[in-house]
Amino acid sequence: DAWTPIATSGAPAARSLHSAVWTGTEMIVWGGVGAAILDSGGRYDPLANTWAPIAAGGTARYWHTAVWAGSRMIVWGGEGVAGGLGGAAALYDRASNAWSYSGSPLPGNDPPPIARINHTAVWTGSRMIVWGGQKPSSMVVKYSDGASYDPAQDRWYSTSLNGAPSVRDTH
């Protein structure tokens, strides 16, 4: 029961306010802030003690959330170069090392939650649920709502506010 140093060769640049997910075999680190807002990351394989880079294209962001959805990482929200990020979810496919965007407002789709930071996202096994948070660049405006995203249907669903928890962020 001891700490073992991990490889630094090939590791992504130092960062804060990033996300990390576990795939079952690798840790994926994405986004955050270093010398600038980052559109980069890496995959760490603990058995081989190696890092592999991730293709750029997930939109530079920090204070976002990410979940592992079985074969893809779904990244949503946060703050980017031009302000708050809402709308479409960024999906990273580990097998192809490529990004795509999904969940845009389409006819028949509930709208995605408005842009936010300091929110929470969890994976249910079939949907990502986003809840709470605060308006980017605001310490005052906080949210007590959310939505769920189904990547198989590329669709957002509004979350009921009946009996919902009170306003919260950084939870």
Side-chain angles (χ1 to χ4, degrees):
D1 191 24
W3 288 91
T4 303
I6 65 172
T8 56
S9 176
R15 63 196 61 220
S16 62
L17 306 174
H18 58 283
S19 62
V21 298
W22 179 248
T23 69
T25 59
E26 294 179 314
M27 173 180 66
I28 301 176
V29 174
W30 178 255
V33 178
I37 302 172
L38 299 170
D39 179 22
S40 65
R43 299 181 351 224
Y44 176 69
D45 179 339
L47 294 178
N49 193 24
T50 57
W51 285 93
I54 290 179
T59 306
R61 63 180 79 208
Y62 63 100
W63 276 332
H64 58 283
T65 52
V67 297
W68 181 249
S71 62
R72 296 181 290 183
M73 176 177 65
I74 304 173
V75 177
W76 189 84
E79 187 132 12
V81 176
L85 297 167
L91 294 100
Y92 172 72
D93 185 304
R94 179 175 68 169
S96 65
N97 191 31
W99 290 90
S100 60
Y101 291 87
S102 232
S104 298
L106 299 169
N109 247 353
D110 289 345
I114 60 173
R116 59 191 68 199
I117 61 173
N118 295 328
H119 58 285
T120 297
V122 297
W123 181 248
T124 68
S126 61
R127 291 186 186 182
M128 175 183 66
I129 300 174
V130 173
W131 188 262
Q134 70 186 63
K135 182 177 181 179
S137 304
S138 170
M139 298 303 288
V140 179
V141 179
K142 301 179 186 214
Y143 301 112
S144 62
D145 68 348
S148 66
Y149 173 66
D150 180 340
Q153 296 183 19
D154 188 21
R155 184 171 178 180
W156 283 96
Y157 294 89
S158 297
T159 303
S160 170
L161 299 179
N162 187 21
S166 60
V167 170
R168 62 194 62 217
D169 67 300
T170 321
H171 53 287

